[in-house]
Every structure is written in C-alpha cells, then in structure tokens.
Amino acid sequence: MVEPIRIADAFKKAQPGDSISVRGWIYRTRSSGGIVFTVLRDSTGILQCTVIKGELPEEDFKSAEKALVESSVIVEGVLREDKRAPGGREITAKKFNVVHFAERFPIFKDQTEEFLLDNRHLWLRSREMTATMKVKAMILRAAREWFFENGFIETTPPILTENACEGGSTLFELKYFEKKGYLSQSAQLYLEALIFSLEKVWSLTPSFRAEKSRTPRHLAEFWHLEEEAAWVTLSGNLEIQEQLVSYICQYLAKNSREELEFLGRNPDDLKVIEPPFQRISYTKAVDILRDKGYEFRWGDDFGTNEERELSMLDNKPVFIIRYPAEIKPFYMKITPDNPKTVENADMLAPEGVGEIIGGSERETNIESMKERLLRENANLENYQWYFDLRKFGSVPHSGFGLGIERVVRWIGKREHIRDTVPFPRTVARLSP
Ligand code: NSS
C-alpha cells in the first residue's frame, strides 16, 4: 500500500508518472459509460480522479460508481498532467477504497443562507469556509508572533465576571451560584490589573455582547484580542495598533496568498497597509461628513453610513480620535485640555468595512470615573478593586481591543461577519 499524501503535494511535490495515494471526501462526481470522474477534497485542496472500468478491480469500480458526494475515500493511482482537470493534474485510479458511503448530501447549489446556517455543521466543509478559517488561523498566528516579538506577555483573564466593562445594555446575565454574574464583554479591566506586574500584556478570549441589532458586523460571541500597556499614552497606543495591524497584513500577503485569492482578495492590497495610518479627530470627522452632505450633530455616535464614509477616506485604516466623553465608557481618560472629549481612538478598516479596533488611554482620576459610572447606574461596589489600581502606584496606561472576526471579514472580503466563525452566535441563532 502506498502511504497517502496530501492533495496539495500532488501538485507541489509529486511528479507526473508517480504512483501516489490520496484520501479525502468526494467533492463532486459524475459517471458515464465505463468511466467515473471524481473530484476529491482534503484540507489542502482538490484533485480529480479518473476511474476507468477494467483498470482497477471490478469491485472498486462499482464502489466509485456508487459513492455519493461527501463519501470518504482512499484512492491510489498514477499522477498525470491533464489540462481539463482542476489545477491541471489528475490521477488515474488503480484502487478506489470507499471508507464510508455517504447518504445523499443535503447541501447542493443555490440554497438559501438560512438553510446553510441550519446545516452549518456540514457547510463548514465548503471551500469558502475552509479558506476563511485558514485565513483566520494565520491572522491569529501573526498577532501572537507580533506580541511575542515585541515583549508582550500573553495572559488568561476570566470570562465569568461581576462587572460591566462596556455598559449594561449588551450584557449577558447568568446565575452564578446564588449571585448574578455576567459573560465578559472585554478583558480590559483585568488586563489593567496585570500591567502593574507585567507592564505589557495581551489576551485572546471570547467576548459576549447581547447585540439585538442584526447587522453584518455584530456577533453575540466574538474573539477579542486585547492589549494593555503601562507608560503608554494615546499616541503610543496608536503606534502599537498600527504596527500590529500592518504586521498581520504583511504576514497574510506573504503566507496566505492562495486562500486570499480564492476569497477574492488580491494579496497585494494588503502590502500597502504600512504605518503611519491617518489620525483624524472626531471633530474633524464631523466636518468631513457635513462637507459630504450628512446632517450630523457634534456629540452623536457615528452610524453605519457615517462609519462607512469615514472608512473610505484612505486605502489604509484610519484612526478617529478623541470622541465626545458622553458617548464613551467611564474608563477613558478625559482629554487634559478639553473636558468634552476622551483620549480614545477607533481604528476603521478601509473599503467601507469600518471599526476593527476600539481603544483608549485610561482614566486615572477615581472621582471622574465614579461620576461617569453613577450616570450609567452602575454599582460602585463592584468597581472598588478596579479603583485600587489607581491607589497603588498608578501610571499612565493605555490599551485596545481588536475584533478578530471584524479583521477576518475585512482581509478575507466576507460580506457578513457570521461567515468568519464556524458556528455563529447571533440574536437569531444558538444552533447548531
Ligand atoms: O467595545 S469595544 O470597542 N472596546 C472594548 O471592548 C474595550 N474594552 C477593549 C479594550 O480597550 N481592551 O470593542 C473592541 C472591538 C471592536 O472594535 C470590534 O472590533 C470588536 O471588539 N467588537 C465586536 N466584534 C463582533 N461583534 C460584536 N458584537 C463586537 N463588539 C465589539
């Protein structure tokens, strides 16, 4: 028996004329007369197998004729060049071993989005989902590498919490023994505690938001990459973000070309994503929007349309900095010479994609934070430990949160954020 190779290696390593074996699942199949054309799929690609009656045991030929899409098989044969086959190569089968005869696969062409979501456990096998998940893995790998290379320590904050980091309206509440608890919206408050020993930290955790709105940018559960560092003010925070994001883009352009091209992203688009990214004040952004004909009041938050407009100002991400304090959380530092704004920034990805990062320098004035928390009707008791961080060696510090799925959606050119997670959680869906 020939040891199976990966399908990608049938194109990259093996030579025409070699006897090889591949294994995987039937991607499509058709037979006519004494010949079966079966395209096999594994995690690395697809390869056509031509099965000709008389050139392999009769029993194997019958299996090949009978096996439906998604049957699992092991095929042995001779590799050949063939211009008509996908990728220009195929194998002529000498053995065709069906490991499992699949039932009729429910997914075929032109089915509704809803049907595909109901059958997500099967739709995950599609080439779109496969390429997207590989791109996501590469983004995570790039980020991890960047943090490691730049002296940041990876940490493991809790997911079960007592505090609302991002305000009460999107909290998932749960019964925590005899108390009320929440699923974490952000690791930020815990990362802030960790900088007093580790100085530069990051974490990757699921975050939860009970987002009632159905948009192509919101999930109820997403993967949150967060950073926090001591001795960093707003400008340093932006530099860390633009370096990280450009590292991710360069890394993907280099290491994920095939998947990106499959998803419709020209990898060269990502090569221009180099620092510096433009910094535009919220106030300036309001002027830009008004010039473009938007009726927009200083103090309001940007809606989808405004964000899209701003995210098309450059072919690189842009930072919108110093938003009105009133629309931002209690922990953002009030701008020293302007009590109306905070030292924050959102990073908007280009092409109309919009926000991928939210971050800020953190407030160090306990009274200012208490005032803002009380306005949100928060229970100050739960924040005493957080205020302690400002009582024992407080330092200027900053951090940010990057939504992994938002970045995958941008880089992988996905229309809807749910197509960047294997099992999306949205207001309408908890299954499969
Ligand atoms: O709410 S954020 O803007 N900011 C925070 O949570 C800070 N506490 C992070 C920090 O400074 N450590 O969320 C950060 C990012 C945001 O820019 C999005 O990219 C992503 O998290 N995000 C989401 N992605 C998908 N779905 C939803 N619902 C979502 N909410 C935020």
Side-chain angles (χ1 to χ4, degrees):
M1 195 190 128
V2 187
E3 200 46 42
I5 61 169
R6 314 198 90 186
I7 283 177
D9 290 339
F11 293 90
K12 290 181 188 150
K13 291 197 180 146
Q15 297 300 323
D18 287 356
S19 281
I20 63 163
S21 162
V22 290
R23 63 185 165 195
W25 294 264
I26 295 180
Y27 181 62
R28 52 174 188 256
T29 185
R30 68 190 162 85
S31 61
S32 65
I35 186 160
V36 183
F37 293 102
T38 294
V39 177
L40 274 199
R41 161 184 77 69
D42 76 0
S43 65
T44 67
I46 59 172
L47 174 65
Q48 178 167 296
C49 306
T50 304
V51 190
I52 303 164
K53 193 177 169 72
E55 299 216 350
L56 71 173
E58 184 59 17
E59 192 190 336
D60 285 22
F61 181 77
K62 285 205 170 111
S63 295
E65 258 190 326
K66 193 176 120 195
L68 301 177
V69 164
E70 291 305 321
S71 296
S72 43
V73 301
I74 304 174
V75 182
E76 218 176 289
V78 180
L79 190 64
R80 301 188 194 285
E81 306 266 13
D82 190 325
K83 292 231 156 30
R84 294 160 300 180
R89 289 186 173 184
E90 63 160 26
I91 66 172
T92 321
K94 296 285 173 222
K95 285 185 191 167
F96 197 101
N97 170 18
V98 177
V99 178
H100 179 252
F101 285 98
E103 294 178 22
R104 190 164 294 281
F105 201 57
I107 298 178
F108 40 90
K109 248 182 175 314
D110 302 325
Q111 271 155 329
T112 65
E113 193 60 39
E114 215 42 38
F115 182 85
L116 295 179
L117 283 164
D118 286 340
N119 288 280
R120 190 64 158 200
H121 50 297
L122 301 176
W123 177 240
L124 287 180
R125 303 177 185 197
S126 66
R127 296 182 79 202
E128 287 90 334
M129 286 302 304
T130 305
T132 308
M133 290 186 286
K134 286 185 185 176
V135 162
K136 189 177 201 175
M138 200 60 86
I139 289 170
L140 291 172
R141 182 173 169 184
R144 189 166 258 122
E145 231 178 77
W146 188 86
F147 279 126
F148 184 74
E149 294 297 325
N150 287 279
F152 288 83
I153 313 277
E154 184 168 4
T155 62
T156 56
I159 306 299
L160 293 170
T161 74
E162 199 173 38
N163 309 87
C165 182
E166 298 300 316
S169 66
T170 62
L171 274 178
F172 274 111
E173 199 178 296
L174 54 89
K175 191 166 171 296
Y176 189 74
F177 304 107
E178 298 311 313
K179 291 180 75 173
K180 208 159 46 172
Y182 306 104
L183 291 175
S184 172
Q185 296 170 311
S186 163
Q188 179 192 324
L189 307 185
Y190 299 100
L191 294 186
E192 284 188 62
L194 285 159
I195 62 155
F196 294 91
S197 51
L198 301 171
E199 294 191 40
K200 292 161 62 164
V201 298
W202 70 282
S203 64
L204 175 66
T205 59
S207 277
F208 302 87
R209 308 273 166 108
E211 304 274 3
K212 300 238 167 52
S213 48
R214 297 162 195 250
T215 80
R217 305 180 304 147
H218 289 95
L219 291 165
E221 177 182 295
F222 67 97
W223 285 83
H224 207 169
L225 187 80
E226 293 178 272
E227 179 271 1
E228 195 73 31
W231 315 108
V232 173
T233 57
L234 176 62
S235 62
N237 196 16
L238 304 189
E239 284 163 20
I240 295 169
Q241 292 172 38
E242 65 192 357
Q243 283 173 35
L244 169 67
V245 168
S246 88
Y247 186 85
I248 292 173
C249 290
Q250 303 307 320
Y251 199 92
L252 269 281
K254 186 161 164 240
N255 297 304
S256 297
R257 294 197 76 86
E258 224 173 273
E259 289 79 17
L260 291 172
E261 277 167 0
F262 181 81
L263 295 171
R265 160 70 66 200
N266 179 350
D268 294 338
D269 299 348
L270 301 177
K271 288 199 178 146
V272 304
I273 314 290
E274 293 264 29
F277 302 167
Q278 280 188 60
R279 283 112 167 107
I280 301 167
S281 71
Y282 168 91
T283 303
K284 174 83 195 299
V286 171
D287 290 342
I288 293 174
L289 289 171
R290 284 183 183 153
D291 283 349
K292 289 184 184 287
Y294 286 81
E295 278 185 32
F296 193 85
R297 198 183 65 90
W298 195 100
D300 285 345
D301 210 350
F302 302 126
T304 311
N305 293 339
E306 287 91 1
E307 211 178 288
R308 184 180 309 122
E309 196 70 53
L310 295 170
S311 91
M312 291 194 297
L313 292 175
D314 201 348
N315 60 354
K316 299 199 281 187
V318 296
F319 290 112
I320 310 293
I321 67 173
R322 300 202 170 100
Y323 281 61
E326 278 212 358
I327 54 171
K328 289 294 174 184
F330 75 97
Y331 55 72
M332 292 186 177
K333 185 182 175 68
I334 300 283
T335 303
D337 59 6
N338 182 1
K340 283 194 150 51
T341 64
V342 284
E343 294 293 276
N344 83 313
D346 282 351
M347 186 195 287
L348 310 186
E351 303 166 5
V353 169
E355 181 187 336
I356 54 172
I357 294 185
S360 68
E361 185 174 342
R362 313 310 188 189
E363 184 57 83
T364 48
N365 180 324
I366 297 177
E367 286 316 309
S368 161
M369 290 195 280
K370 279 188 180 164
E371 236 173 71
R372 286 183 273 170
L373 277 169
L374 285 175
R375 247 182 271 149
E376 293 172 25
N377 294 321
N379 179 1
L380 292 189
E381 269 310 299
N382 295 343
Y383 293 86
Q384 290 309 326
W385 70 267
Y386 183 71
F387 299 147
D388 271 358
L389 307 178
R390 310 311 195 248
K391 294 181 189 166
F392 303 98
S394 185
V395 286
H397 64 287
S398 303
F400 62 87
L402 171 153
I404 291 291
E405 287 78 13
R406 296 259 178 109
V407 173
V408 177
R409 175 171 179 250
W410 163 43
I411 290 182
K413 271 184 147 346
R414 297 298 83 196
E415 201 169 297
H416 202 292
I417 195 165
R418 65 180 168 230
D419 292 327
T420 66
V421 260
F423 295 99
R425 298 293 178 243
T426 60
V427 62
R429 190 166 285 279
L430 188 58
S431 72

